[in-house]
Amino acid sequence: NGCDLISQHADSMGAPSICEEREVPNVSYNGSTVASCPKTFIVSSKIDWAPYFVYICNQVQDGKEIDVDWTGTIATGSVVLTEVNEQAAAANTQTKIDEIKAKLDTILSACWNEDRWIRGYKEDGTIIGQRTDPEASMWLNPQSWSVISDFGTKEQQEKAMDSVYRELNTPYGAMVMYPPYVNHGFQGALMQCFNKCTKENAGIFSQPQGWLILAESKLGHGNRAYQYWTEAAPATYNDNAEHRVLEPYVYGQFVEGKDSPFAGRAHVHWLTGTASTVMVGTTEGILGLNPETKGLVIDPSIPSEWKEYTMEKTFRGKKLHVTVKNPNGSEHGVKSVTVNGEKIEGKLILDSILKAENDIVIEM
């Protein structure tokens, strides 16, 4: 009672049914409920798997690997809307939807700003984080996540990550944005409550460092991925504990950025999700251990000075003794995979060929 509209995110007829009973407009989930709720169903988003099936068929036909991180979007036609139920919707609803969709397509394409992704838009259209802004012209997360989510072109991803290294990196990790807000913060930019280069105002937050490591690894930049890993690692500062201040065995929430008089000083021990993001950046990124439905892909992005190393891993109950050989000092790129003395095709090590104990050799 008293609701103007109910939207749901569940494959259930519970909400639509009670909406129909109480005559409350309803936006459904992953399919139309107009047959059961003709008076109240307005519209629903749904997943269209067809573009993905077309993609995997083309990959198989061309003899290419299927990307385990393929993500369907509005642009690929994977996220669509059902037909609008004109009986329940306001007049011209479909016209407005078409208008917003066209605007959204324009906005997404306009998010690229020469050598970086902007931070976002305000409701009035003001752009946050464009390269000509006097402050906060460069933001970390839009760049790293453009790679992780595979948004944009490879050229854009490379440019964006180069901009991160050039403008955000410090000896202690990459700042969340830069320059800090001092005189030009927009209304609602609460980070300007903090001194410059602390907390969200151009501090070095620890949690995004793991995403940064993963992004560089996905681009095949082993040297840079490991540099970021080293800059953020607490153990790096064992000989400089007086400067870092925080315990040498734990990540802090943030480290003060380069414009602070105490640059490199860490704060708020234990209160951080950094362990999980850096673990993913390390295992799936640098070491390249990527589980798939049918098995395991090992595709490292490592420092070129690592000529050989070993890993021990238990994978789905089976022990793996992995040796990675890198005689030419590559950062990325697997030449061959040998499992228990037999070379396999491609990089996917199928569950079906694994024994209780396995010797695996990866040659880069």
Side-chain angles (χ1 to χ4, degrees), residues 135-156:
E135 296 172 352
S137 59
M138 182 67 188
W139 294 70
L140 174 59
N141 285 347
Q143 322 313 321
S144 56
W145 274 97
S146 74
V147 179
I148 295 170
S149 65
D150 201 25
F151 186 78
T153 66
K154 180 72 180 301
E155 181 183 6
Q156 288 173 325

Side-chain angles (χ1 to χ4, degrees), residues 101 158 160 195 207 226 240 273 300 357:
K101 185 179 183 302
E158 292 277 1
N195 293 333
Q207 189 166 349
Y226 188 64
N240 196 17
E357 295 216 15

Side-chain angles (χ1 to χ4, degrees), residues 133 216 303:
D133 288 346
E216 290 288 8

Side-chain angles (χ1 to χ4, degrees), residues 73-87:
T73 64
I74 292 175
T76 65
S78 304
V79 182
V80 297
L81 294 180
T82 63
E83 291 185 7
V84 172
N85 177 20
E86 295 182 355
Q87 181 178 339

Side-chain angles (χ1 to χ4, degrees), residues 181 185-195 198-201:
Y181 282 125
F186 60 90
Q187 185 176 1
L190 299 182
M191 64 280 289
Q192 60 193 324
C193 296
F194 299 111
N195 293 333
T198 64
K199 294 282 280 185
E200 286 87 350
N201 197 12

Side-chain angles (χ1 to χ4, degrees), residues 95-105 107:
T95 301
K96 190 64 176 179
I97 288 173
D98 294 340
E99 176 188 324
I100 295 299
K101 185 179 183 302
K103 186 181 293 185
L104 180 60
D105 291 340
I107 287 173

